[in-house]
Amino acid sequence: MARILITSALPYINGIKHLGNLVGSQLPADLYARYCRARGHEVMFICATDEHGTPAELAAAKTGEPVADYCARMHGVQTELAHGFRLSFDHYGRSSSPQNHRLTQHFAGRLRAAGLIAEVAEKQVYSPSDGRFLPDRYIEGTCPACGYERARGDQCENCTKQLDPTDLIDPRSAISGATDLEVRETKHLYLRQSAMRDQLDQWIDSQKGWPVLTTSIAKKWLHDGDGLRDRGITRDLDWGIPVKDGENDWPGMEGKVFYVWFDAPIEYIAATAEWAEAQGLDDAAWRRWWRTDEGAGDVRYVQFMGKDNVPFHTLSFPATLMGSGEPWKLVDYIKSFNYLNYNGGQFSTSQGRGVFMDQALEILPSDYWRWWLLSHAPENSDSEFTWENFQASVNKDLADVLGNFVSRVTKFCRSKFGEAVPEGGAWGERETALASALAKRIAAYDAQMAAMEIRKSAAELRAIWVLGNEYLQEAAPWSTFKTDPDTAAMQIRLALNLIRLYAALARPFLPDAAWSMMAALECEDWTWPEDVEAALKLLPAGHAFTVPEVLFAKITDDAREDWAARFAGARP
RNA sequence: GGGCCCGUAGCUCAAUGGUCAGAGCAGGGCGCUCAUAACGCCUUGGUUGGGGGUUCGAGUCCCUCCGGGCCUACCA
């Protein structure tokens, strides 16, 4: 038994996430967490809402709520949706928690003591009308290069030229349209990542087997141009974690807060502390996951995230942890994902394009989405959601191959033997061969799951379901029954046990369906089938069961067309 | 502009430089009748984006061209 720490990239507070966000971090992290638990490992699975930053303030302003209230409300909404998708977090925290305030300020203090913080005076655009400094991309104006009138202060979307906000002609606030912008001097803290470049570089080099996507992005940042640049870790905002040096004030930094990307990863740690508090445990309970000098030496730490998050997890956050000079647990493996596209374009939160988590659950139960999303996870390249593909995959894999197997076995047994596991007969060669084929496939499934090869795991699991249908076809208990009822009883006894085995194996992908299967069998034994023969004899003769409702209803053409039309344009 | 990734069957995707490039779906044929018209077996289908090169051997390595995508540090 190992101890596995799993974190999923934090969803931003600013609205409901779409399926692309879900499959890029939380869902595969949940799959892995569930798998690790099923294999008997001790798991700490952490996620949280990422609540600070300009977009959160603006979203709150739009609804007229105080930002703290807005975040509390949206945290509730996201928590509900996480439950809806059966995301099995040990704790779903908030980056605005007191724990995160303390830890973030602690790290800043340690970094300052280590000489890794620089104070930099810089000029930034301020909008008196908005009462705030404007991040570059919140300034719009005419592109000096191509004349595009809605160029952003960081880059012109039309001609892709990199811009400085002061380059823009007729600049205005993208928030209010105000044109009375001025340049003000302000002081900010920078994390001196450049001083840690070699250390980070060596650390990345020492990691074996990370996805190309992960290491190539890290290497690019480390070696591009002059190498890794220092990074501003404070902002002039109201909502956030006040800049402090540990518990002490930071002269000259009054009224400023830490940058979200500084405090968000620290929330992984803080959320574990939140968990401990919620469980009524002491600090040692969470520190044994995070401090190698306090018990985390044998922890394996795995992070899940979309590719846009990679630089912060490979560089900034490790720099924060290493730079503190304290023995914090560093990540051991980073599983990163590409993007899921929607009907040939991108899912888009701002444009409301695609299917969002709340809408998905209104349409179908979570298992349908979990299965499709995970079996098509964008691991090697961007992948594509289409309604046709979704319908075909779900109907074939879930309804026909798995669901129908459960149906045919339980209904056949009920009609010939009644609703209890039938007695009689003994295994022959066919059953031994099946057990050995299953053992082989299960080993492959286990290996793919352990390696976090998501799509390959799904394919192996499906192949295991197919073995059951093949067995039934060959054994043909419906004809055996006419001449040799005892053998038919043995065959169907095995098939009923196969349902339990499938439930145990499928639980990480399909928690609800697995539960329904177990409930129908009136069984609570989720034991992983390490010994397949034993697993296929687990339910004894005479054990009662019930025929379950149809596990997965098929998606009709009408429903598919209806949804395709409904989600074709912007979110209503 | 720079960097990275991808391009394989109608579709979605596999293949440490080494048998005849494989699966699932879709298509075609056969079988079965327990089951959600479900299941099983067989089968059609490829100049691996184009062109060069290295090698005994290239989907895989190198060059080049075409096409798609991502990142490029003040959104997060």
Side-chain angles (χ1 to χ4, degrees), chain A residues 392 396 400:
Chain A
K396 195 69 193 173
D400 295 345

PDB file of all heavy atoms in Angstrom, chain A residues 392 396 400, chain B residues 9-11 24-28 38 43-45:
ATOM      1  N   ALA A 392     -22.879   7.395 -30.513  1.00  0.00           N
ATOM      2  CA  ALA A 392     -22.420   6.080 -30.951  1.00  0.00           C
ATOM      3  C   ALA A 392     -21.629   5.379 -29.845  1.00  0.00           C
ATOM      4  O   ALA A 392     -21.848   4.206 -29.549  1.00  0.00           O
ATOM      5  CB  ALA A 392     -21.572   6.215 -32.213  1.00  0.00           C
ATOM      6  N   LYS A 396     -23.102   2.110 -27.823  1.00  0.00           N
ATOM      7  CA  LYS A 396     -22.429   0.843 -28.081  1.00  0.00           C
ATOM      8  C   LYS A 396     -21.732   0.316 -26.818  1.00  0.00           C
ATOM      9  O   LYS A 396     -21.961  -0.809 -26.393  1.00  0.00           O
ATOM     10  CB  LYS A 396     -21.401   1.047 -29.206  1.00  0.00           C
ATOM     11  CG  LYS A 396     -20.896  -0.235 -29.813  1.00  0.00           C
ATOM     12  CD  LYS A 396     -21.987  -0.914 -30.602  1.00  0.00           C
ATOM     13  CE  LYS A 396     -21.580  -2.345 -30.952  1.00  0.00           C
ATOM     14  NZ  LYS A 396     -22.706  -3.071 -31.565  1.00  0.00           N
ATOM     15  N   ASP A 400     -25.029  -1.343 -25.014  1.00  0.00           N
ATOM     16  CA  ASP A 400     -24.990  -2.659 -25.662  1.00  0.00           C
ATOM     17  C   ASP A 400     -24.011  -3.621 -24.991  1.00  0.00           C
ATOM     18  O   ASP A 400     -24.354  -4.747 -24.655  1.00  0.00           O
ATOM     19  CB  ASP A 400     -24.608  -2.513 -27.137  1.00  0.00           C
ATOM     20  CG  ASP A 400     -25.674  -1.754 -27.928  1.00  0.00           C
ATOM     21  OD1 ASP A 400     -26.788  -1.600 -27.409  1.00  0.00           O
ATOM     22  OD2 ASP A 400     -25.381  -1.313 -29.046  1.00  0.00           O
TER      23      ASP A 400
ATOM     24  P     A B   9      -6.433   7.479 -42.271  1.00  0.00           P
ATOM     25  OP1   A B   9      -6.915   8.396 -43.326  1.00  0.00           O
ATOM     26  OP2   A B   9      -6.764   7.735 -40.855  1.00  0.00           O
ATOM     27  O5'   A B   9      -6.920   6.015 -42.646  1.00  0.00           O
ATOM     28  C5'   A B   9      -6.921   5.589 -44.007  1.00  0.00           C
ATOM     29  C4'   A B   9      -8.110   4.690 -44.252  1.00  0.00           C
ATOM     30  O4'   A B   9      -7.877   3.435 -43.571  1.00  0.00           O
ATOM     31  C3'   A B   9      -9.429   5.245 -43.728  1.00  0.00           C
ATOM     32  O3'   A B   9     -10.476   4.960 -44.641  1.00  0.00           O
ATOM     33  C2'   A B   9      -9.661   4.455 -42.440  1.00  0.00           C
ATOM     34  O2'   A B   9     -11.016   4.279 -42.143  1.00  0.00           O
ATOM     35  C1'   A B   9      -9.018   3.121 -42.786  1.00  0.00           C
ATOM     36  N9    A B   9      -8.607   2.341 -41.624  1.00  0.00           N
ATOM     37  C8    A B   9      -8.605   2.688 -40.303  1.00  0.00           C
ATOM     38  N7    A B   9      -8.219   1.742 -39.487  1.00  0.00           N
ATOM     39  C5    A B   9      -7.934   0.690 -40.328  1.00  0.00           C
ATOM     40  C6    A B   9      -7.471  -0.609 -40.093  1.00  0.00           C
ATOM     41  N6    A B   9      -7.204  -1.096 -38.894  1.00  0.00           N
ATOM     42  N1    A B   9      -7.286  -1.422 -41.160  1.00  0.00           N
ATOM     43  C2    A B   9      -7.560  -0.942 -42.373  1.00  0.00           C
ATOM     44  N3    A B   9      -8.003   0.273 -42.728  1.00  0.00           N
ATOM     45  C4    A B   9      -8.168   1.039 -41.654  1.00  0.00           C
ATOM     46  P     G B  10     -10.791   5.968 -45.800  1.00  0.00           P
ATOM     47  OP1   G B  10     -11.339   5.192 -46.917  1.00  0.00           O
ATOM     48  OP2   G B  10      -9.627   6.875 -45.999  1.00  0.00           O
ATOM     49  O5'   G B  10     -11.963   6.840 -45.160  1.00  0.00           O
ATOM     50  C5'   G B  10     -12.628   7.852 -45.924  1.00  0.00           C
ATOM     51  C4'   G B  10     -13.892   8.213 -45.210  1.00  0.00           C
ATOM     52  O4'   G B  10     -14.773   7.064 -45.251  1.00  0.00           O
ATOM     53  C3'   G B  10     -13.697   8.513 -43.727  1.00  0.00           C
ATOM     54  O3'   G B  10     -13.456   9.884 -43.522  1.00  0.00           O
ATOM     55  C2'   G B  10     -15.023   8.065 -43.109  1.00  0.00           C
ATOM     56  O2'   G B  10     -16.013   9.053 -43.276  1.00  0.00           O
ATOM     57  C1'   G B  10     -15.371   6.862 -43.980  1.00  0.00           C
ATOM     58  N9    G B  10     -14.855   5.589 -43.453  1.00  0.00           N
ATOM     59  C8    G B  10     -13.999   4.727 -44.103  1.00  0.00           C
ATOM     60  N7    G B  10     -13.713   3.662 -43.399  1.00  0.00           N
ATOM     61  C5    G B  10     -14.403   3.824 -42.219  1.00  0.00           C
ATOM     62  C6    G B  10     -14.467   2.999 -41.085  1.00  0.00           C
ATOM     63  O6    G B  10     -13.909   1.923 -40.877  1.00  0.00           O
ATOM     64  N1    G B  10     -15.284   3.544 -40.095  1.00  0.00           N
ATOM     65  C2    G B  10     -15.951   4.740 -40.209  1.00  0.00           C
ATOM     66  N2    G B  10     -16.680   5.101 -39.151  1.00  0.00           N
ATOM     67  N3    G B  10     -15.898   5.537 -41.262  1.00  0.00           N
ATOM     68  C4    G B  10     -15.122   5.020 -42.225  1.00  0.00           C
ATOM     69  P     C B  11     -12.453  10.311 -42.336  1.00  0.00           P
ATOM     70  OP1   C B  11     -12.279  11.771 -42.445  1.00  0.00           O
ATOM     71  OP2   C B  11     -11.280   9.410 -42.320  1.00  0.00           O
ATOM     72  O5'   C B  11     -13.335  10.018 -41.045  1.00  0.00           O
ATOM     73  C5'   C B  11     -14.427  10.857 -40.691  1.00  0.00           C
ATOM     74  C4'   C B  11     -14.953  10.437 -39.338  1.00  0.00           C
ATOM     75  O4'   C B  11     -15.409   9.064 -39.416  1.00  0.00           O
ATOM     76  C3'   C B  11     -13.898  10.422 -38.238  1.00  0.00           C
ATOM     77  O3'   C B  11     -13.740  11.697 -37.648  1.00  0.00           O
ATOM     78  C2'   C B  11     -14.467   9.394 -37.262  1.00  0.00           C
ATOM     79  O2'   C B  11     -15.481   9.948 -36.459  1.00  0.00           O
ATOM     80  C1'   C B  11     -15.089   8.385 -38.214  1.00  0.00           C
ATOM     81  N1    C B  11     -14.191   7.271 -38.547  1.00  0.00           N
ATOM     82  C2    C B  11     -13.991   6.266 -37.584  1.00  0.00           C
ATOM     83  O2    C B  11     -14.562   6.363 -36.496  1.00  0.00           O
ATOM     84  N3    C B  11     -13.193   5.220 -37.878  1.00  0.00           N
ATOM     85  C4    C B  11     -12.590   5.154 -39.065  1.00  0.00           C
ATOM     86  N4    C B  11     -11.812   4.101 -39.306  1.00  0.00           N
ATOM     87  C5    C B  11     -12.760   6.158 -40.046  1.00  0.00           C
ATOM     88  C6    C B  11     -13.559   7.188 -39.757  1.00  0.00           C
ATOM     89  P     G B  24     -12.147  -4.730 -32.967  1.00  0.00           P
ATOM     90  OP1   G B  24     -12.670  -5.932 -32.295  1.00  0.00           O
ATOM     91  OP2   G B  24     -12.065  -4.673 -34.445  1.00  0.00           O
ATOM     92  O5'   G B  24     -12.956  -3.466 -32.471  1.00  0.00           O
ATOM     93  C5'   G B  24     -13.168  -3.235 -31.085  1.00  0.00           C
ATOM     94  C4'   G B  24     -13.763  -1.865 -30.884  1.00  0.00           C
ATOM     95  O4'   G B  24     -12.761  -0.864 -31.184  1.00  0.00           O
ATOM     96  C3'   G B  24     -14.908  -1.521 -31.827  1.00  0.00           C
ATOM     97  O3'   G B  24     -16.137  -2.063 -31.381  1.00  0.00           O
ATOM     98  C2'   G B  24     -14.886   0.000 -31.778  1.00  0.00           C
ATOM     99  O2'   G B  24     -15.436   0.489 -30.587  1.00  0.00           O
ATOM    100  C1'   G B  24     -13.380   0.269 -31.787  1.00  0.00           C
ATOM    101  N9    G B  24     -12.887   0.392 -33.160  1.00  0.00           N
ATOM    102  C8    G B  24     -12.254  -0.551 -33.920  1.00  0.00           C
ATOM    103  N7    G B  24     -11.952  -0.134 -35.121  1.00  0.00           N
ATOM    104  C5    G B  24     -12.416   1.173 -35.156  1.00  0.00           C
ATOM    105  C6    G B  24     -12.380   2.140 -36.197  1.00  0.00           C
ATOM    106  O6    G B  24     -11.916   2.031 -37.332  1.00  0.00           O
ATOM    107  N1    G B  24     -12.975   3.335 -35.812  1.00  0.00           N
ATOM    108  C2    G B  24     -13.532   3.569 -34.572  1.00  0.00           C
ATOM    109  N2    G B  24     -14.059   4.779 -34.378  1.00  0.00           N
ATOM    110  N3    G B  24     -13.573   2.684 -33.586  1.00  0.00           N
ATOM    111  C4    G B  24     -13.000   1.518 -33.947  1.00  0.00           C
ATOM    112  P     C B  25     -17.241  -2.489 -32.431  1.00  0.00           P
ATOM    113  OP1   C B  25     -18.369  -3.080 -31.682  1.00  0.00           O
ATOM    114  OP2   C B  25     -16.592  -3.264 -33.514  1.00  0.00           O
ATOM    115  O5'   C B  25     -17.691  -1.090 -33.030  1.00  0.00           O
ATOM    116  C5'   C B  25     -18.349  -0.132 -32.210  1.00  0.00           C
ATOM    117  C4'   C B  25     -18.533   1.169 -32.958  1.00  0.00           C
ATOM    118  O4'   C B  25     -17.230   1.696 -33.331  1.00  0.00           O
ATOM    119  C3'   C B  25     -19.264   1.071 -34.291  1.00  0.00           C
ATOM    120  O3'   C B  25     -20.661   0.996 -34.126  1.00  0.00           O
ATOM    121  C2'   C B  25     -18.821   2.361 -34.967  1.00  0.00           C
ATOM    122  O2'   C B  25     -19.495   3.475 -34.439  1.00  0.00           O
ATOM    123  C1'   C B  25     -17.349   2.415 -34.550  1.00  0.00           C
ATOM    124  N1    C B  25     -16.491   1.772 -35.578  1.00  0.00           N
ATOM    125  C2    C B  25     -16.197   2.521 -36.733  1.00  0.00           C
ATOM    126  O2    C B  25     -16.649   3.668 -36.833  1.00  0.00           O
ATOM    127  N3    C B  25     -15.435   1.967 -37.700  1.00  0.00           N
ATOM    128  C4    C B  25     -14.968   0.723 -37.545  1.00  0.00           C
ATOM    129  N4    C B  25     -14.217   0.223 -38.521  1.00  0.00           N
ATOM    130  C5    C B  25     -15.254  -0.052 -36.379  1.00  0.00           C
ATOM    131  C6    C B  25     -16.018   0.511 -35.425  1.00  0.00           C
ATOM    132  P     A B  26     -21.526   0.103 -35.121  1.00  0.00           P
ATOM    133  OP1   A B  26     -22.930   0.206 -34.698  1.00  0.00           O
ATOM    134  OP2   A B  26     -20.888  -1.228 -35.264  1.00  0.00           O
ATOM    135  O5'   A B  26     -21.345   0.876 -36.497  1.00  0.00           O
ATOM    136  C5'   A B  26     -21.946   2.157 -36.690  1.00  0.00           C
ATOM    137  C4'   A B  26     -21.535   2.724 -38.031  1.00  0.00           C
ATOM    138  O4'   A B  26     -20.100   2.942 -38.049  1.00  0.00           O
ATOM    139  C3'   A B  26     -21.781   1.815 -39.227  1.00  0.00           C
ATOM    140  O3'   A B  26     -23.124   1.857 -39.663  1.00  0.00           O
ATOM    141  C2'   A B  26     -20.811   2.419 -40.245  1.00  0.00           C
ATOM    142  O2'   A B  26     -21.292   3.628 -40.782  1.00  0.00           O
ATOM    143  C1'   A B  26     -19.595   2.692 -39.355  1.00  0.00           C
ATOM    144  N9    A B  26     -18.730   1.516 -39.315  1.00  0.00           N
ATOM    145  C8    A B  26     -18.587   0.591 -38.319  1.00  0.00           C
ATOM    146  N7    A B  26     -17.752  -0.376 -38.604  1.00  0.00           N
ATOM    147  C5    A B  26     -17.318  -0.071 -39.879  1.00  0.00           C
ATOM    148  C6    A B  26     -16.422  -0.711 -40.764  1.00  0.00           C
ATOM    149  N6    A B  26     -15.778  -1.828 -40.462  1.00  0.00           N
ATOM    150  N1    A B  26     -16.216  -0.145 -41.969  1.00  0.00           N
ATOM    151  C2    A B  26     -16.866   0.981 -42.274  1.00  0.00           C
ATOM    152  N3    A B  26     -17.732   1.679 -41.531  1.00  0.00           N
ATOM    153  C4    A B  26     -17.909   1.087 -40.338  1.00  0.00           C
ATOM    154  P     G B  27     -23.793   0.511 -40.193  1.00  0.00           P
ATOM    155  OP1   G B  27     -25.174   0.877 -40.593  1.00  0.00           O
ATOM    156  OP2   G B  27     -23.562  -0.573 -39.228  1.00  0.00           O
ATOM    157  O5'   G B  27     -22.940   0.197 -41.507  1.00  0.00           O
ATOM    158  C5'   G B  27     -23.060   1.027 -42.658  1.00  0.00           C
ATOM    159  C4'   G B  27     -22.279   0.440 -43.806  1.00  0.00           C
ATOM    160  O4'   G B  27     -20.857   0.442 -43.498  1.00  0.00           O
ATOM    161  C3'   G B  27     -22.566  -1.027 -44.108  1.00  0.00           C
ATOM    162  O3'   G B  27     -23.749  -1.196 -44.867  1.00  0.00           O
ATOM    163  C2'   G B  27     -21.320  -1.431 -44.878  1.00  0.00           C
ATOM    164  O2'   G B  27     -21.336  -0.940 -46.208  1.00  0.00           O
ATOM    165  C1'   G B  27     -20.243  -0.698 -44.089  1.00  0.00           C
ATOM    166  N9    G B  27     -19.693  -1.551 -43.023  1.00  0.00           N
ATOM    167  C8    G B  27     -19.876  -1.404 -41.674  1.00  0.00           C
ATOM    168  N7    G B  27     -19.281  -2.344 -40.972  1.00  0.00           N
ATOM    169  C5    G B  27     -18.665  -3.147 -41.927  1.00  0.00           C
ATOM    170  C6    G B  27     -17.878  -4.314 -41.770  1.00  0.00           C
ATOM    171  O6    G B  27     -17.546  -4.884 -40.739  1.00  0.00           O
ATOM    172  N1    G B  27     -17.473  -4.819 -43.001  1.00  0.00           N
ATOM    173  C2    G B  27     -17.788  -4.270 -44.229  1.00  0.00           C
ATOM    174  N2    G B  27     -17.300  -4.896 -45.300  1.00  0.00           N
ATOM    175  N3    G B  27     -18.514  -3.178 -44.384  1.00  0.00           N
ATOM    176  C4    G B  27     -18.916  -2.670 -43.191  1.00  0.00           C
ATOM    177  P     G B  28     -24.643  -2.491 -44.620  1.00  0.00           P
ATOM    178  OP1   G B  28     -25.854  -2.320 -45.453  1.00  0.00           O
ATOM    179  OP2   G B  28     -24.774  -2.749 -43.170  1.00  0.00           O
ATOM    180  O5'   G B  28     -23.743  -3.645 -45.248  1.00  0.00           O
ATOM    181  C5'   G B  28     -23.518  -3.698 -46.650  1.00  0.00           C
ATOM    182  C4'   G B  28     -22.688  -4.914 -46.994  1.00  0.00           C
ATOM    183  O4'   G B  28     -21.369  -4.782 -46.397  1.00  0.00           O
ATOM    184  C3'   G B  28     -23.204  -6.226 -46.425  1.00  0.00           C
ATOM    185  O3'   G B  28     -24.266  -6.779 -47.180  1.00  0.00           O
ATOM    186  C2'   G B  28     -21.948  -7.082 -46.463  1.00  0.00           C
ATOM    187  O2'   G B  28     -21.654  -7.527 -47.773  1.00  0.00           O
ATOM    188  C1'   G B  28     -20.896  -6.067 -46.006  1.00  0.00           C
ATOM    189  N9    G B  28     -20.736  -6.096 -44.555  1.00  0.00           N
ATOM    190  C8    G B  28     -21.199  -5.171 -43.636  1.00  0.00           C
ATOM    191  N7    G B  28     -20.910  -5.493 -42.402  1.00  0.00           N
ATOM    192  C5    G B  28     -20.221  -6.694 -42.502  1.00  0.00           C
ATOM    193  C6    G B  28     -19.655  -7.516 -41.492  1.00  0.00           C
ATOM    194  O6    G B  28     -19.641  -7.347 -40.278  1.00  0.00           O
ATOM    195  N1    G B  28     -19.057  -8.648 -42.041  1.00  0.00           N
ATOM    196  C2    G B  28     -19.000  -8.950 -43.383  1.00  0.00           C
ATOM    197  N2    G B  28     -18.386 -10.087 -43.714  1.00  0.00           N
ATOM    198  N3    G B  28     -19.521  -8.185 -44.334  1.00  0.00           N
ATOM    199  C4    G B  28     -20.106  -7.085 -43.824  1.00  0.00           C
ATOM    200  P     A B  38     -29.666  -2.456 -31.764  1.00  0.00           P
ATOM    201  OP1   A B  38     -30.480  -1.294 -31.420  1.00  0.00           O
ATOM    202  OP2   A B  38     -28.677  -2.353 -32.854  1.00  0.00           O
ATOM    203  O5'   A B  38     -28.912  -2.945 -30.462  1.00  0.00           O
ATOM    204  C5'   A B  38     -28.206  -4.146 -30.496  1.00  0.00           C
ATOM    205  C4'   A B  38     -28.121  -4.672 -29.084  1.00  0.00           C
ATOM    206  O4'   A B  38     -29.358  -5.318 -28.733  1.00  0.00           O
ATOM    207  C3'   A B  38     -27.039  -5.710 -28.914  1.00  0.00           C
ATOM    208  O3'   A B  38     -25.797  -5.103 -28.642  1.00  0.00           O
ATOM    209  C2'   A B  38     -27.584  -6.520 -27.742  1.00  0.00           C
ATOM    210  O2'   A B  38     -27.366  -5.843 -26.535  1.00  0.00           O
ATOM    211  C1'   A B  38     -29.066  -6.529 -28.050  1.00  0.00           C
ATOM    212  N9    A B  38     -29.438  -7.645 -28.937  1.00  0.00           N
ATOM    213  C8    A B  38     -28.786  -8.108 -30.045  1.00  0.00           C
ATOM    214  N7    A B  38     -29.366  -9.121 -30.632  1.00  0.00           N
ATOM    215  C5    A B  38     -30.488  -9.328 -29.853  1.00  0.00           C
ATOM    216  C6    A B  38     -31.510 -10.252 -29.955  1.00  0.00           C
ATOM    217  N6    A B  38     -31.596 -11.168 -30.909  1.00  0.00           N
ATOM    218  N1    A B  38     -32.475 -10.205 -29.033  1.00  0.00           N
ATOM    219  C2    A B  38     -32.403  -9.283 -28.070  1.00  0.00           C
ATOM    220  N3    A B  38     -31.485  -8.344 -27.871  1.00  0.00           N
ATOM    221  C4    A B  38     -30.538  -8.419 -28.807  1.00  0.00           C
ATOM    222  P     U B  43     -11.452 -12.761 -41.399  1.00  0.00           P
ATOM    223  OP1   U B  43     -10.319 -13.333 -42.154  1.00  0.00           O
ATOM    224  OP2   U B  43     -11.217 -12.003 -40.133  1.00  0.00           O
ATOM    225  O5'   U B  43     -12.296 -11.829 -42.372  1.00  0.00           O
ATOM    226  C5'   U B  43     -12.614 -12.258 -43.697  1.00  0.00           C
ATOM    227  C4'   U B  43     -13.480 -11.230 -44.379  1.00  0.00           C
ATOM    228  O4'   U B  43     -14.657 -10.972 -43.578  1.00  0.00           O
ATOM    229  C3'   U B  43     -12.854  -9.853 -44.550  1.00  0.00           C
ATOM    230  O3'   U B  43     -11.993  -9.827 -45.675  1.00  0.00           O
ATOM    231  C2'   U B  43     -14.080  -8.965 -44.728  1.00  0.00           C
ATOM    232  O2'   U B  43     -14.597  -9.058 -46.039  1.00  0.00           O
ATOM    233  C1'   U B  43     -15.070  -9.629 -43.766  1.00  0.00           C
ATOM    234  N1    U B  43     -15.115  -8.960 -42.459  1.00  0.00           N
ATOM    235  C2    U B  43     -15.832  -7.766 -42.384  1.00  0.00           C
ATOM    236  O2    U B  43     -16.396  -7.286 -43.341  1.00  0.00           O
ATOM    237  N3    U B  43     -15.849  -7.184 -41.147  1.00  0.00           N
ATOM    238  C4    U B  43     -15.245  -7.652 -40.000  1.00  0.00           C
ATOM    239  O4    U B  43     -15.359  -7.012 -38.957  1.00  0.00           O
ATOM    240  C5    U B  43     -14.517  -8.874 -40.156  1.00  0.00           C
ATOM    241  C6    U B  43     -14.480  -9.470 -41.352  1.00  0.00           C
ATOM    242  P     U B  44     -10.874  -8.710 -45.810  1.00  0.00           P
ATOM    243  OP1   U B  44      -9.822  -9.222 -46.704  1.00  0.00           O
ATOM    244  OP2   U B  44     -10.525  -8.223 -44.457  1.00  0.00           O
ATOM    245  O5'   U B  44     -11.652  -7.542 -46.568  1.00  0.00           O
ATOM    246  C5'   U B  44     -12.311  -7.795 -47.812  1.00  0.00           C
ATOM    247  C4'   U B  44     -13.108  -6.583 -48.228  1.00  0.00           C
ATOM    248  O4'   U B  44     -14.143  -6.337 -47.251  1.00  0.00           O
ATOM    249  C3'   U B  44     -12.315  -5.283 -48.268  1.00  0.00           C
ATOM    250  O3'   U B  44     -11.613  -5.145 -49.486  1.00  0.00           O
ATOM    251  C2'   U B  44     -13.405  -4.231 -48.106  1.00  0.00           C
ATOM    252  O2'   U B  44     -14.079  -3.991 -49.328  1.00  0.00           O
ATOM    253  C1'   U B  44     -14.372  -4.940 -47.140  1.00  0.00           C
ATOM    254  N1    U B  44     -14.164  -4.529 -45.747  1.00  0.00           N
ATOM    255  C2    U B  44     -14.606  -3.259 -45.392  1.00  0.00           C
ATOM    256  O2    U B  44     -15.141  -2.499 -46.172  1.00  0.00           O
ATOM    257  N3    U B  44     -14.388  -2.928 -44.076  1.00  0.00           N
ATOM    258  C4    U B  44     -13.786  -3.708 -43.107  1.00  0.00           C
ATOM    259  O4    U B  44     -13.667  -3.272 -41.969  1.00  0.00           O
ATOM    260  C5    U B  44     -13.361  -5.006 -43.566  1.00  0.00           C
ATOM    261  C6    U B  44     -13.558  -5.365 -44.837  1.00  0.00           C
ATOM    262  P     G B  45     -10.081  -4.686 -49.451  1.00  0.00           P
ATOM    263  OP1   G B  45      -9.630  -4.593 -50.859  1.00  0.00           O
ATOM    264  OP2   G B  45      -9.339  -5.531 -48.488  1.00  0.00           O
ATOM    265  O5'   G B  45     -10.171  -3.218 -48.862  1.00  0.00           O
ATOM    266  C5'   G B  45     -10.814  -2.174 -49.595  1.00  0.00           C
ATOM    267  C4'   G B  45     -11.060  -1.006 -48.680  1.00  0.00           C
ATOM    268  O4'   G B  45     -11.801  -1.446 -47.522  1.00  0.00           O
ATOM    269  C3'   G B  45      -9.793  -0.391 -48.095  1.00  0.00           C
ATOM    270  O3'   G B  45      -9.243   0.565 -48.987  1.00  0.00           O
ATOM    271  C2'   G B  45     -10.305   0.259 -46.818  1.00  0.00           C
ATOM    272  O2'   G B  45     -10.882   1.519 -47.077  1.00  0.00           O
ATOM    273  C1'   G B  45     -11.400  -0.727 -46.379  1.00  0.00           C
ATOM    274  N9    G B  45     -10.941  -1.673 -45.363  1.00  0.00           N
ATOM    275  C8    G B  45     -10.376  -2.910 -45.566  1.00  0.00           C
ATOM    276  N7    G B  45     -10.076  -3.536 -44.458  1.00  0.00           N
ATOM    277  C5    G B  45     -10.471  -2.649 -43.459  1.00  0.00           C
ATOM    278  C6    G B  45     -10.388  -2.766 -42.043  1.00  0.00           C
ATOM    279  O6    G B  45      -9.948  -3.712 -41.381  1.00  0.00           O
ATOM    280  N1    G B  45     -10.894  -1.627 -41.412  1.00  0.00           N
ATOM    281  C2    G B  45     -11.405  -0.530 -42.050  1.00  0.00           C
ATOM    282  N2    G B  45     -11.835   0.460 -41.284  1.00  0.00           N
ATOM    283  N3    G B  45     -11.487  -0.407 -43.367  1.00  0.00           N
ATOM    284  C4    G B  45     -11.008  -1.492 -43.999  1.00  0.00           C
TER     285        G B  45
END
